[in-house]
Amino acid sequence: MVRPGGRSARVQASVHAAVRELASELGREALTVPLVAQRAGVTPSTIYRRWGDLQELLSDVAVERLRPDTAPGDHGALPADLTAWAEQFLDEMASPAGRAYIRDALLGDPDGGNAGQCSAYAAEQIDLVLTRAAGRGERTPDVETVIDQVVAPMMYRILFRPDGLDAAYAQRLVAGVLAPAGDTA
């Protein structure tokens, strides 16, 4: 009999749940590997073997929490779809919880794999928006252009210059990436 996910998936799910619960109850600063292990019903050595240390565990949990829950909404036209996506992305990532997840995802990521996975989440969402628009016959930029001109500036501002991050900022970035070449207005 094949077990869906198996033991490894169950361990990951229970440890992730323990981290989220304990962080909510006690605060992130109070987390320790033994405390998480006790709550998850595993040994500390299981956590150390799988994640290495607490920071890598927090990074893994953060990447999972940064995964979008739903597909981007369909508002009937590329400008509306991409603007709605960018506003939601900015709102979620710039929130205190979003910033904490970003920080954790990057701090426990010595090889860049978690950052790459977070980038892939955004690229997948953008690709869905652009593919839908192209299917309607709309002219679209490519995914990397949207990453460079919308996502990258937002992430920079979220991490280093958080003032002025609002829907209007996201709207300006989207308008810029969708403006015809040479139109700077």
Side-chain angles (χ1 to χ4, degrees):
M1 178 174 161
V2 176
R3 296 176 297 167
R7 182 181 188 283
S8 182
R10 285 193 308 275
V11 167
Q12 179 174 337
S14 67
V15 170
H16 279 215
V19 168
R20 290 189 305 271
E21 292 165 6
L22 288 167
S24 176
E25 293 169 17
L26 307 173
R28 184 189 168 288
E29 305 76 34
L31 295 180
T32 65
V33 169
L35 190 61
V36 170
Q38 180 181 16
R39 174 67 63 96
V42 300
T43 64
S45 63
T46 297
I47 293 175
Y48 289 121
R49 186 172 44 256
R50 181 164 183 152
W51 286 280
D53 62 21
L54 180 62
Q55 191 58 60
E56 287 187 38
L57 171 58
L58 293 174
S59 181
D60 191 48
V61 171
V63 169
E64 185 65 29
R65 299 298 289 171
L66 291 169
R67 178 188 313 248
D69 293 334
T70 60
D74 185 347
H75 303 279
L78 178 58
D81 288 353
L82 194 55
T83 298
W85 178 85
E87 289 173 356
Q88 181 178 352
F89 180 86
L90 180 61
D91 186 55
E92 290 174 3
M93 295 300 137
S95 72
R99 287 176 202 243
Y101 289 136
I102 292 166
R103 186 174 44 253
D104 282 341
L106 296 175
L107 286 174
D109 188 24
D111 65 359
N114 288 345
Q117 184 58 57
C118 291
S119 177
Y121 294 155
E124 289 167 8
Q125 294 267 297
I126 293 164
D127 185 55
L128 287 169
V129 169
L130 299 178
T131 299
R132 193 176 343 167
R136 292 188 296 250
E138 296 177 78
R139 199 179 102 227
T140 64
D142 61 58
V143 171
E144 290 305 313
T145 299
V146 176
I147 294 284
D148 290 345
Q149 294 182 23
V150 177
V151 177
M154 285 195 291
M155 290 304 295
Y156 180 86
R157 293 288 302 271
I158 288 166
L159 292 171
F160 302 113
R161 296 185 59 107
D163 293 335
L165 292 177
D166 56 15
Y169 177 67
Q171 293 162 8
R172 286 191 307 273
L173 293 173
V174 171
V177 78
L178 296 181
D183 183 4
T184 58

